[in-house]
Amino acid sequence: MTKPSPFLNPGQTTKAGSLAIVHLSRDNLVPAILDDTVGEVNGYAEGTVINTRFGSFPHSTLIGQPWGSQIRASVVDTGSRGRKRKVRDDTDEPSNDTEEAASAKKPATAASGFVHVLPPTPEIWTMSLPHRTQVVYTPDYSYILHRIRARPGMRIIEAGAGSGSFTHASVRAVYNGYPTAAEDRKGKVYSFEFNEARFQAMEREVKAHDLSDLVQITHRDVYNDGFLVNGESPEADCVFLDLPAPWKALPHLSRHRPATEAVNGQDQPWVSPLRSDRAVHLCTFSPCIEQVTRTVDAMRRLGWMEIEMVEVAHKRIGVLRERVGLNMPGDRGSNQSPYDVAEAVNRLREVEGRFKEFHGRNQKAAKSANDDDVDMNDSVEASAAETNGAGREAAAEPPSDNAPSVPSFMMGRLVHRTEPEIKTHTSYLVFAVLPQEWTEEQEAAAFEKWPCGKESKVIGSLDKETRKKEKRELLKGKKKRKSEK
Amino acid sequence: MHSLVQPDAWVALKLPNGTLRVLQVTPNTTVSLGKYGSFPSNLIIHRPYHLTYELQDKREGENFSRLRIVPASELYADILTSSASSSAPGSPTLAPEDDDADAELPTGVEYSLVDATSGAVVAKTDRAAVLDEASALRQTLSVEEIEALKQDGTNAGKDLIAKLMLSHTALDQKTEYSLAKYKLLKTKKYIRRFCVTPLDVPMFDHWLLEEKDPIKILDMREEMIALLGCWANVHYGGVDRCENATDEEPQAESTALDHSAGRWLVVDDTGGLLVAAMAERLGVLYPPEKEETLETYLESQKPPQQKEAASGPKSSKDEPDAEAPEEATEDASMQEEAKVEAQIDETKETDVKAESAQDPGSHGINPKKYPTGGPRHRSNDLAVPYAQSNTLTLLHHNSQANLSFLRYYDFDNTNPAQPLTHPLATNLMTLTWLQLLDPTADTAYMAEPPAVTPEELRGWKTNRRGNYHRKRRRWARVRHVVDTTRAGGFSGLVVASTMDPISVMKHAVPLLAGGAPIAIYSQSVEALTALVDCYSIARRTAWISNPPEGAAGKTPEELETWEGNDEFPLNPTLVLGAALQTSRVRKWQVLPGRTHPLMTSKGGAEGYIFTAWRVKPAEGKIEARGKGRHSKRRKVGE
Ligand SMILES: C[S@@+](CC[C@H](N)C(=O)[O-])C[C@H]1O[C@@H](n2cnc3c(N)ncnc32)[C@H](O)[C@@H]1O
């Protein structure tokens, strides 16, 4: 058995050679296979280093840490790199031992900057993975896996693998331990991809994430060549198709040789990739309605039941403090307009008062020197500006009921907003079920084992009339009791 | 799991009008579908799920209706022909506007008689027959006549539909579309078809939400359950056991996977729906299935000699496994005990409520003081049945957890004699908030039944002895659950509760392992925005740069159990990435030429999910790297 995947069982601490997620900020998560190479790597004496805008983090500082740890940035000498690039950055601390790299260099902690290190999960992976294609995001894949009943011990077919976002989510769903022997039947993902480069990238990834025993990735055009692996059936319980033309793949997902295939290869026995002794759940994922129409038509022809099409509308929601008021601190995120009508009126009164005061004064002055029009206009403007400023100052004095000690993070009203940009459409999800076959022989055997004719009582629903009658009687009874009281 | 319908399984029967009938398939009973008719339960036992059946007319000499499997080709026949014709150039397209137009029926076109929601054809018309009868039947049928036809119940209702259609109005004056619509309505009412589906979590939630009682499950839609499970990273997390494992394999793997400890902490105010959903993800929801015939079933139903089956069919049916027989023989006395206990619990419950109301958890937790594992050596009464990993631990606010919905999965947490063959008996643990926060105030935790020497025991009456063993076992279980929970190290937290999430977080976060994900469902957004606000960047910055009184100078470990004050209800450095989201699924109708979203759907609580990760802050003061400095730094990094 290989070591368990960090996705499924990360253990308690980060390990060298294993995937970890470096959390920089909400939308900036960096996956890294931790490397404990001692000595210079890429010109860094500290070994492999992750450089971020929050500082530099040599892998050695990330290894062997409890998951979730906050890791301080290190002072990393970039001298040799800098020289190689001929861009010498003067702000870096000078260092003398750059060139004697062969020995390990213990990184020195920097004065500021930090990251957190998290264990990988499909959710984080989906946010941080290298995109090779469009991917299926958490709101869609969570619902899909739920609906197609991808549960521990199930076998799931997935095509195409693309960037592996869905692959990681589905392996977690079906995982029920690593197989201990070749014939040991465990939950497994059978993934197919026909693009060579993507197939190879997936293979590398699956290996790097210690998922090789749980994800079988096959280089295949499934439209033409179906879903068998080495001629054998995956015996899938559930299927997910994220392909441009699902209807071209569907005939392969039959219980019997589909009519379309009858011409070629008639002589060989046909093997179904589906599990024969239970219903199989399927989901296809297509962005366009025309694809849906064709897919659903094919599903109906091929005997899929309970066909249903849905869309998932998902929103991320931001939470913020809406700080509106003349007395709010003048930093970003505050809106220094009146909090309410009272505040507005108060301020207007103040402006008014100051204006009158000034005007009164001025009128007196005007009486004494009434030939100075221009001057007067200027001073009115000036005074108005002054009044504005003064008004603001006056309003900035906190109202008596608002204790002056309220910290800024508690000011204002707590509100929420939909994220600035919503994914209004990802794809249409078509679900369907293919029941297992049930032959007349099987039915006869079951009837034999469970004979009829000795029914003792009736279960289930009564028809409307009987129910109404019962209700009427119940109500009557209640009324009686009430009147008795 | 869910291959064939098991005897006594809970199933959902889908009826032509789109409603669900949820019932337990008791062998040797008649299943009534109301106006659609009835059939013997034995006809669906040990038959596959997801088949569509049609009730047949009673055969001569038989007093029951047999079932016919309706093949897909028959169900979809009319849609498929109509799609073929509508894709042909020049064929008339069907649109709602046609509804009342007096267009002639195009010849050679079949009526599309489809169920708009499922897209399935519910009945097929035979044009020749319809026209034949058209001349014979011109008048509108009276209600009595319809009833009489129903009584006939012939041909699974199809005759009735055909006649109703013809009696409605002159056929040739109806457009294809309006005819189809009319027939669809009638079909939904009278066709005698149904489909058997397993009552698994998706179907169960759907039923509770649409038909039963959405309030009881906090309006939690499927997409919310799915998001919760994913964000809390709930998955099979151990090697102890799994319902799908074909053969029990040795535990060798557990050492290899040390700390595989997949242990999730759950707070569930949905009557057990959340627990069921998470248990499904762990693979511990469904009891094992077995091969049976009516004969062996009835045999297993017989009460063990000398004693009537106290708890009804279920618990005595789920038979032996190494430990079970002992449990079974004690069944009757235990039932009694359980009643008594329930009473005690009831009186206790009010106390607990009062306590938690006035003092919502001022007791700090210090996990290290309570090492795991009791003094097992004394007697095997103290050996607990619980699994070490792949478990759910439920924190609840009544003295007994409300998990009533688990009864649909054959599990009754109030039954102390719950057979251990059900995976939940070993992989679900429950404890009260009081037991978590102040175990010494809990009688069940504190009252260790005295150890009695084997000699003394032998002298006791059977009843008393059983009682003694039961009490000690119960005590050992409570100890184990409370101690292991307080020791923390959980792999994740999932919550769907009406309690203030801030209070839940205060006590649950310290129990989580570093990096553990958190996912909280709430019906409304306000409770969760308040929670997110506790972790705002501004607040966290303030906590670090200017720690509140009582926090300064303490180690991160000490601050894990921060009591909270007005400014910092929670320690903002213990949680990372606090975020909110919501999601809603919208259903569509897909029919040739008539594809569009459904016109109506359920309202109610929108539902929101909070997600975050538990983190471990570094020791000492730590400063974020400022904006001004990073522009130069970045050059270095790239
Ligand atoms: C949208 S991507 C799948 C993304 C993936 N579900 C994820 O979450 O990352 C579709 C993939 O299907 C592959 N594909 C297209 N046609 C295929 C075929 N006939 N057989 C196998 N793969 C195919 C494409 O190469 C592409 O990588």
Side-chain angles (χ1 to χ4, degrees):
Chain A
M1 196 195 82
T2 48
K3 65 182 163 153
S5 169
F7 279 88
L8 302 167
N9 178 16
Q12 294 182 317
T13 55
T14 58
K15 281 186 261 320
S18 202
L19 183 69
I21 305 289
V22 179
H23 180 285
L24 304 178
S25 68
R26 166 112 89 101
D27 296 305
N28 198 355
L29 297 114
V30 179
I33 306 251
L34 299 181
D35 174 15
D36 59 357
T37 308
V38 174
E40 189 180 293
V41 175
N42 275 340
Y44 289 112
E46 294 81 2
T48 309
V49 173
I50 300 174
N51 286 301
T52 78
R53 62 193 179 90
F54 304 105
S56 297
F57 301 88
H59 280 206
S60 57
T61 63
L62 300 168
I63 292 171
Q65 302 292 331
W67 289 112
S69 292
Q70 188 175 34
I71 309 284
R72 291 173 191 274
S74 296
V75 178
V76 167
D77 172 55
T78 47
S80 56
R81 275 173 72 81
R83 257 198 296 285
K84 271 174 208 154
R85 289 168 163 200
K86 298 209 162 66
V87 191
R88 176 79 193 170
D89 193 330
D90 298 324
T91 59
D92 277 312
E93 343 279 307
S95 177
N96 324 318
D97 55 351
T98 44
E99 248 51 90
E100 63 215 56
S103 63
K105 180 175 184 287
K106 204 160 175 355
T109 304
S112 70
F114 61 84
V115 292
H116 286 88
V117 54
L118 294 174
T121 64
E123 289 64 43
I124 300 180
W125 182 247
T126 296
M127 287 191 266
S128 59
L129 57 78
H131 274 232
R132 301 181 284 265
T133 60
Q134 269 291 349
V135 309
V136 185
Y137 290 99
T138 306
D140 283 314
Y141 74 61
S142 61
Y143 185 69
I144 293 166
L145 290 165
H146 179 79
R147 284 286 306 263
I148 63 174
R149 275 73 174 171
R151 297 173 189 149
M154 302 276 166
R155 295 173 159 228
I156 181 169
I157 284 177
E158 174 212 32
S163 308
S165 168
F166 191 85
T167 318
H168 283 78
S170 54
V171 70
R172 173 182 62 186
V174 301
Y175 169 68
N176 68 333
Y178 280 79
T180 45
E183 66 281 5
D184 193 10
R185 192 193 161 96
K186 292 280 188 196
K188 192 164 181 175
V189 180
Y190 290 85
S191 188
F192 299 85
E193 173 59 57
F194 82 159
N195 177 292
E196 171 111 42
R198 285 179 210 144
F199 160 74
Q200 276 165 2
M202 268 302 286
E203 243 193 349
R204 278 195 302 275
E205 229 165 67
V206 161
K207 208 161 165 222
H209 297 173
D210 299 302
L211 293 169
S212 308
D213 288 352
L214 306 173
V215 177
Q216 172 106 44
I217 165 100
T218 305
H219 185 208
R220 170 83 52 83
D221 169 6
V222 298
Y223 297 159
N224 291 312
D225 302 323
F227 297 92
L228 301 187
V229 176
N230 305 325
E232 278 179 36
S233 171
E235 299 186 5
D237 298 280
C238 35
V239 181
F240 176 66
L241 300 180
D242 183 2
L243 298 161
W247 58 91
K248 290 190 188 163
L250 279 173
H252 299 286
L253 297 165
S254 300
R255 301 246 179 233
H256 293 289
R257 184 195 305 275
T260 47
E261 238 184 75
V263 226
N264 42 23
Q266 186 76 275
D267 41 333
Q268 276 156 31
W270 195 84
V271 180
S272 168
L274 306 178
R275 178 146 182 189
S276 64
D277 65 353
R278 68 190 56 189
V280 169
H281 292 258
L282 162 78
C283 176
T284 67
F285 193 73
S286 314
C288 305
I289 199 79
E290 290 76 11
Q291 294 169 300
V292 171
T293 310
R294 294 191 72 170
T295 304
V296 169
D297 189 65
M299 284 176 172
R300 288 187 178 130
R301 287 174 199 284
L302 292 163
W304 290 82
M305 312 285 276
E306 299 171 47
I307 300 170
E308 188 179 285
M309 192 265 263
V310 308
E311 264 185 297
V312 178
H314 176 263
K315 284 187 283 192
R316 299 208 300 173
I317 293 171
V319 176
L320 57 146
R321 291 244 165 207
E322 196 174 65
R323 295 189 293 183
V324 180
L326 298 170
N327 58 336
M328 283 298 164
D331 59 4
R332 212 168 53 99
S334 300
N335 180 352
Q336 286 172 324
S337 57
Y339 170 74
D340 57 6
V341 173
E343 219 178 76
V345 169
N346 268 347
R347 183 173 145 207
L348 288 167
R349 267 189 220 291
E350 257 169 78
V351 173
E352 201 64 28
R354 270 159 203 266
F355 185 74
K356 269 191 195 133
E357 198 184 305
F358 170 80
H359 204 65
R361 227 194 292 137
N362 236 23
Q363 250 164 359
K364 269 181 222 151
K367 262 173 204 157
S368 59
N370 52 8
D371 55 341
D372 211 351
D373 272 4
V374 183
D375 250 343
M376 195 188 92
N377 278 348
D378 278 354
S379 41
V380 168
E381 255 163 48
S383 125
E386 188 191 303
T387 317
N388 258 337
R392 191 166 284 184
E393 242 163 63
E397 259 161 51
S400 53
D401 58 342
N402 200 354
S405 62
V406 169
S408 69
F409 58 77
M410 287 173 79
M411 280 180 188
R413 180 191 290 142
L414 190 58
V415 297
H416 67 279
R417 278 187 205 150
T418 301
E419 62 188 317
E421 224 172 273
I422 324 175
K423 289 196 186 83
T424 33
H425 181 63
T426 52
S427 272
Y428 296 111
L429 283 56
V430 183
F431 293 100
V433 179
L434 191 63
Q436 75 182 70
E437 302 255 282
W438 195 244
T439 62
E440 277 175 27
E441 295 78 63
Q442 283 172 303
E443 176 55 33
F447 192 84
E448 184 96 349
K449 279 187 194 163
W450 294 90
C452 297
K454 291 217 177 73
E455 287 71 40
S456 56
K457 56 169 188 176
V458 178
I459 56 171
S461 67
L462 307 160
D463 65 21
K464 225 187 199 159
E465 274 313 303
T466 332
R467 238 183 332 193
K468 267 190 195 155
K469 224 200 233 149
E470 277 187 353
K471 209 166 191 180
R472 247 177 274 137
E473 263 147 37
L474 201 93
L475 285 174
K476 253 190 239 156
K478 265 190 193 158
K479 264 188 207 143
K480 241 190 227 160
R481 253 177 280 143
K482 255 190 200 157
S483 58
E484 273 163 17
K485 267 181 195 167
Chain B
M1 185 199 349
H2 297 151
S3 157
L4 303 179
V5 178
Q6 300 296 302
D8 288 322
W10 284 93
V11 301
L13 303 182
K14 275 194 200 167
L15 302 184
N17 63 3
T19 59
L20 295 173
R21 287 283 146 79
V22 168
L23 48 84
Q24 195 173 20
V25 189
T26 315
N28 270 350
T29 55
T30 298
V31 179
S32 165
L33 300 179
K35 65 187 175 210
Y36 298 109
S38 57
F39 63 91
S41 60
N42 289 9
L43 283 181
I44 56 170
I45 292 174
H46 273 218
R47 311 302 204 285
Y49 280 105
H50 298 287
L51 294 177
T52 299
Y53 294 108
E54 194 167 87
L55 283 127
Q56 292 188 296
D57 303 334
K58 283 178 185 137
R59 289 188 192 172
E60 222 167 290
E62 282 185 358
N63 61 350
F64 58 91
S65 291
R66 289 192 184 233
L67 302 175
R68 178 179 76 94
I69 297 171
V70 188
S73 55
E74 191 180 327
L75 287 171
Y76 294 129
D78 293 351
I79 307 185
L80 294 175
T81 34
S82 94
S83 78
S85 70
S86 67
S87 57
S91 68
T93 46
L94 305 175
E97 290 79 61
D98 298 347
D99 210 348
D100 292 307
D102 278 350
E104 287 239 339
L105 261 182
T107 46
V109 177
E110 300 259 69
Y111 317 127
S112 29
L113 303 167
V114 289
D115 180 323
T117 36
S118 67
V121 170
V122 270
K124 184 174 158 68
T125 46
D126 178 342
R127 188 174 165 78
V130 167
L131 291 178
D132 243 15
E133 289 188 62
S135 44
L137 247 163
R138 276 277 161 185
Q139 285 102 341
T140 312
L141 292 177
S142 68
V143 180
E144 289 74 36
E145 284 170 313
I146 294 176
E147 279 310 309
L149 280 169
K150 261 164 75 183
Q151 297 297 294
D152 282 3
T154 48
N155 201 8
K158 279 186 275 184
D159 286 2
L160 174 62
I161 292 157
K163 283 179 184 151
L164 278 171
M165 278 178 62
L166 295 165
S167 66
H168 175 61
T169 178
L171 254 185
D172 49 358
Q173 289 180 11
K174 280 272 157 191
T175 63
E176 186 183 1
Y177 181 81
S178 66
L179 196 64
K181 204 164 134 189
Y182 179 71
K183 183 155 180 199
L184 175 62
L185 274 171
K186 291 297 155 205
T187 302
K188 278 189 167 181
K189 246 173 147 168
Y190 299 114
I191 193 93
R192 301 167 66 195
R193 277 185 192 158
F194 67 95
C195 174
V196 191
T197 59
L199 195 64
D200 54 10
V201 170
M203 180 52 77
F204 188 51
D205 183 46
H206 179 78
W207 174 64
L208 291 171
L209 212 54
E210 300 284 329
E211 298 188 19
K212 189 90 191 309
D213 206 349
I215 312 282
K216 271 208 181 119
I217 54 164
L218 308 181
D219 284 300
M220 192 160 62
R221 295 186 302 278
E222 280 179 70
E223 52 271 35
M224 292 298 170
I225 295 179
L227 279 172
L228 275 180
C230 281
W231 279 102
N233 195 26
V234 179
H235 64 278
Y236 172 79
V239 287
D240 284 306
R241 98 196 250 185
C242 178
E243 70 217 4
N244 261 302
T246 35
D247 50 341
E248 292 301 301
E249 65 228 30
Q251 303 288 305
E253 216 177 337
S254 65
T255 42
L257 293 177
D258 78 322
H259 305 305
S260 66
R263 297 161 64 229
W264 281 269
L265 200 55
V266 186
V267 183
D268 179 358
D269 284 338
T270 63
L273 174 65
L274 180 68
V275 168
M278 297 308 121
E280 198 177 56
R281 297 181 69 98
L282 297 186
V284 297
L285 180 59
Y286 302 102
E289 295 177 352
K290 44 192 178 309
E291 184 62 36
E292 268 182 322
T293 66
L294 180 60
E295 221 177 310
T296 59
Y297 171 83
L298 292 174
E299 196 57 41
S300 72
Q301 293 292 293
K302 281 192 190 140
Q305 341 91 324
Q306 312 292 3
K307 194 169 80 47
E308 84 273 347
S311 55
K314 303 263 64 192
S315 61
S316 49
K317 187 197 86 199
D318 284 327
E319 272 299 6
D321 142 325
E323 242 174 293
E326 190 202 359
E327 299 258 355
T329 46
E330 280 180 36
D331 225 35
S333 61
M334 283 171 89
Q335 291 295 318
E336 283 305 306
E337 297 283 344
K339 269 183 219 149
V340 177
E341 262 171 40
Q343 278 162 11
I344 296 169
D345 283 349
E346 252 165 51
T347 52
K348 248 176 70 183
E349 187 174 320
T350 48
D351 297 341
V352 174
K353 267 189 198 139
E355 151 111 27
S356 58
Q358 49 148 250
D359 187 10
S362 59
H363 311 281
I365 304 154
N366 191 350
K368 265 135 226 159
K369 268 194 209 149
Y370 292 83
T372 61
R376 257 168 224 195
H377 54 278
R378 261 186 272 172
S379 143
N380 60 4
D381 276 350
L382 302 184
V384 291
Y386 296 119
Q388 303 288 320
S389 60
N390 204 34
T391 61
L392 297 173
T393 301
L394 177 79
L395 281 162
H396 56 92
H397 55 79
N398 291 335
S399 50
Q400 187 128 61
N402 174 10
L403 295 172
S404 51
F405 286 143
L406 292 183
R407 284 172 208 227
Y408 290 93
Y409 299 96
D410 274 0
F411 185 76
D412 179 2
N413 67 305
T414 62
N415 176 11
Q418 173 71 46
L420 290 178
T421 43
H422 198 297
L424 282 176
T426 49
N427 293 50
L428 171 66
M429 291 169 257
T430 65
L431 75 161
T432 70
W433 284 100
L434 179 69
Q435 286 172 331
L436 174 73
L437 299 176
D438 186 9
T440 55
D442 182 78
T443 342
Y445 182 84
M446 291 308 287
E448 177 179 2
V452 175
T453 61
E455 295 78 52
E456 206 176 329
L457 261 183
R458 249 174 264 130
W460 288 7
K461 282 215 193 85
T462 331
N463 246 356
R464 189 175 173 202
R465 213 161 51 205
N467 207 356
Y468 167 82
H469 285 304
R470 195 189 53 75
K471 271 199 178 141
R472 278 185 68 81
R473 273 202 297 269
R474 189 176 127 91
W475 175 80
R477 287 181 197 198
V478 169
R479 274 268 151 167
H480 171 86
V481 172
V482 173
D483 292 346
T484 52
T485 304
R486 288 172 60 94
F490 284 92
S491 333
L493 169 68
V494 209
V495 180
S497 172
T498 48
M499 287 199 292
D500 178 13
I502 295 177
S503 71
V504 172
M505 288 288 274
K506 184 193 293 183
H507 301 295
V509 167
L511 300 177
L512 300 177
I518 298 161
I520 303 180
Y521 170 84
S522 174
Q523 276 176 299
S524 46
V525 77
E526 290 78 8
L528 296 183
T529 51
L531 178 59
V532 172
D533 189 47
C534 292
Y535 298 112
S536 70
I537 295 175
R539 207 181 291 254
R540 194 186 347 204
T541 313
W543 168 277
I544 293 165
S545 61
N546 186 17
E549 217 177 296
K554 290 210 171 132
T555 65
E557 279 75 41
E558 287 164 337
L559 288 174
E560 299 236 317
T561 51
W562 167 247
E563 290 284 308
N565 62 16
D566 285 347
E567 287 175 20
F568 299 100
L570 298 166
N571 175 347
T573 60
L574 297 184
V575 158
L576 184 69
L580 264 188
Q581 57 182 309
T582 184
S583 180
R584 191 177 268 276
V585 162
R586 186 191 209 189
K587 287 195 175 126
W588 286 60
Q589 160 186 310
V590 184
L591 285 173
R594 277 172 285 151
T595 296
H596 59 74
L598 296 196
M599 305 294 186
T600 57
S601 65
K602 265 194 80 68
E606 193 57 36
Y608 297 85
I609 287 174
F610 167 94
T611 59
W613 294 281
R614 161 80 151 106
V615 289
K616 303 252 176 197
E619 182 101 46
K621 207 153 190 159
I622 190 154
E623 220 175 289
R625 192 155 288 199
K627 281 232 159 79
R629 289 182 69 185
H630 89 248
S631 50
K632 273 182 201 158
R633 287 264 153 195
R634 190 192 267 156
K635 239 189 271 157
V636 180
E638 265 15 294

